[in-house]
Amino acid sequence: MRGELFTTQVFLDNRSYFFNVKENRTGDIFLQIVESKNRDGVDFDRHQIAVFAEDMRLFLQGLDKSLSFIEKERKERTRAAREKRAAQEARYGGAPEKLLYRRKNNETQTEKKDDGIKRTGRVIHIASKRTDRNTDSTE
């Protein structure tokens, strides 16, 4: 391609990144970063940015600050998760995997009589009595 000095590619699951060092008509050198994303296996979404050589230091400083923040945030989240796990182990005696469940009171279930309503958890099913009516009318 015209003006292309160097190219490298990074392939991910459904995206590809191209880092192209190019020279324009006036002789300015710039970095072109292109993201190509597979859309439904049929078409590609393509986005690109261009960073000129004189702005490259500022661009890289911003990128470096962003990467440092991401690394710091990852370490803080890992530390917080470790502390939470340790607190759960201390609270529940070293078994954070076990969950506590509340048992239902069986007394209310034995006191109920058959009223034609089937109760299963949160959903109440009302049994149809049409079959009873049909059998009564035919007899």
Side-chain angles (χ1 to χ4, degrees):
M1 292 198 141
R2 185 184 155 175
E4 196 165 298
L5 303 175
F6 174 79
T7 298
T8 185
Q9 303 169 353
V10 177
F11 296 105
L12 302 175
D13 290 335
N14 65 340
R15 297 172 193 249
S16 298
Y17 294 96
F18 301 91
F19 299 92
N20 306 319
V21 178
K22 292 186 171 186
E23 182 179 8
N24 65 10
R25 291 179 186 169
T26 61
D28 296 330
I29 295 177
F30 64 96
L31 172 68
Q32 179 188 44
I33 302 171
V34 179
E35 175 195 36
S36 180
K37 183 169 72 169
N38 190 354
R39 186 174 61 180
D40 301 329
V42 178
D43 198 13
F44 289 93
D45 279 339
R46 184 180 158 122
H47 300 85
Q48 64 185 21
I49 62 168
V51 182
F52 286 90
E54 59 267 9
D55 301 329
M56 190 63 64
R57 292 223 186 276
L58 292 174
F59 178 79
L60 292 177
Q61 286 175 357
L63 182 63
D64 190 41
K65 286 180 185 178
S66 299
L67 293 175
S68 297
F69 174 80
I70 290 170
E71 185 65 23
K72 180 181 173 186
E73 184 71 18
R74 186 189 62 80
K75 286 180 181 179
E76 286 178 9
R77 286 181 187 224
T78 304
R79 183 187 50 80
R82 193 178 321 117
E83 288 174 359
K84 183 179 178 182
R85 200 173 321 118
Q88 282 182 338
E89 288 177 2
R91 184 174 177 188
Y92 296 113
E97 298 87 24
K98 293 183 180 179
L99 300 175
L100 301 177
Y101 294 98
R102 186 180 74 193
R103 291 185 173 213
K104 289 185 177 180
N105 191 355
N106 290 337
E107 296 172 5
T108 58
Q109 292 177 356
T110 57
E111 296 173 6
K112 293 180 183 175
K113 57 184 178 180
D114 186 24
D115 56 357
I117 298 175
K118 180 180 175 184
R119 293 173 177 85
T120 58
R122 294 182 181 176
V123 179
I124 298 175
H125 302 277
I126 300 175
S128 175
K129 295 189 178 185
R130 286 189 177 177
T131 56
D132 295 339
R133 290 183 193 161
N134 292 341
T135 55
D136 291 341
S137 62
T138 57
E139 292 177 2

